Every structure is written in C-alpha cells, then in structure tokens.
Amino acid sequence: YRLLSDFEHRPGIRYIHALKNAKERLTKETFRAGIHLQYLKKFSDSMKQKKIPLLLINNPENPLALNWYESSKWYQDHLVYLQSLESKNEIEFIDFRNKLNRQDFSDFHHFTYPGMVKMNSEYGEEIVRFSKKTD
C-alpha cells in the first residue's frame, strides 16, 4: 500500500490510483470481450484452423491488486472466456494469476527481478511441456 500513499505529495502516482479505481470498478461491470480479446479469438481460431499450437498464459498479478476484483463475476467470466478459446490439441490456456507473492512485484503489475527469475522457469517448463505434447 506504500504505492498508494501520500497522493497529494506524489502526483506521479496518479496512474496507480487510476489502475486501482479501474480494477475496483470491474467488480460492478458485466464482462464483454473488448477488442483485444476479440482479436485474440480471431487469432486463436486461425491457429486452430491451421493446426498450429498456441499456448495462452494468464500472467501473475500482484495479490494486492488481484484481491480488488478476483472474486467478481466480471473476472470469473473473463477467465471462462479465455478458457473457451482452448481446443483439444491446438490451444491451451494456463492460469498463472496466483504464481507469485506480492514481494515479487515492484508495483501492482510489474515483476521485480527476483519475481522474473522465478517466472522464467515457470514459463520455460510450461513451454517445454506444451511443445512435447504437440509434437
């Protein structure tokens, strides 16, 4: 919470406050696939049609920030949407949202160096596993 404190003397943290407000607002919203998710669906459909394997990963998020909206219907529907892109052989969705501790983030979104070191092996292991599965 140090990132959110002393706003009146730290105007540069306006983005962090805006991010927090947006995440909290999501809890009152109905999920709708925005343009970026619509294009992800088009891309994944194209990969499936061409039988090109695709691994989709929901990246870790700082547990403090995730707590603002993780239990919301919006977020649950968002995950269902991402899972719906899966196909038996070509497309797999992995949810890493809870893979790191809050100390592994420098803010609500960006990894610290030690956090990235932890995630490198996680990403690598999943990519190797997925590659072997699709051979």
Side-chain angles (χ1 to χ4, degrees):
Y1 291 98
R2 68 179 166 71
L3 293 172
L4 293 169
S5 65
D6 203 22
F7 180 70
E8 55 279 351
H9 295 104
R10 298 171 55 216
I13 63 171
R14 185 172 311 277
Y15 167 76
I16 293 172
H17 280 267
L19 178 64
K20 180 180 188 293
N21 292 339
K23 298 283 186 180
E24 288 176 335
R25 231 181 354 251
L26 286 176
T27 64
K28 299 174 181 94
E29 295 290 325
T30 300
F31 174 79
R32 292 181 304 275
I35 191 138
H36 63 295
L37 291 175
Q38 292 172 28
Y39 277 105
L40 178 60
K41 177 155 180 34
K42 287 180 182 184
F43 178 73
S44 64
D45 287 346
S46 173
M47 296 297 100
K48 184 171 24 176
Q49 181 182 20
K50 296 174 185 172
K51 301 204 179 305
I52 298 173
L54 176 63
L55 182 61
L56 301 172
I57 298 175
N58 188 30
N59 277 317
E61 188 163 354
N62 187 320
L64 293 172
L66 189 58
N67 189 50
W68 297 329
Y69 69 101
E70 182 179 25
S71 63
S72 71
K73 180 156 176 32
W74 181 93
Y75 192 67
Q76 298 310 308
D77 289 349
H78 172 76
L79 293 175
V80 167
Y81 180 86
L82 293 172
Q83 291 164 348
S84 76
L85 300 177
E86 287 187 307
S87 69
K88 187 170 183 133
N89 297 315
E90 288 84 23
I91 302 171
E92 183 177 337
F93 170 70
I94 297 173
D95 190 358
F96 277 173
R97 74 177 178 262
N98 293 308
K99 276 287 187 186
L100 293 176
N101 298 315
R102 65 182 184 199
Q103 294 81 7
D104 295 317
F105 292 86
S106 60
D107 59 20
F108 296 126
H109 179 70
H110 297 96
F111 302 151
T112 60
Y113 181 77
M116 190 67 247
V117 169
K118 289 177 188 176
M119 286 311 299
N120 277 340
S121 60
E122 296 285 343
Y123 293 133
E125 289 170 13
E126 287 299 331
I127 291 167
V128 167
R129 180 197 57 74
F130 184 71
S131 296
K132 288 179 180 177
K133 180 179 111 174
T134 59
D135 281 344

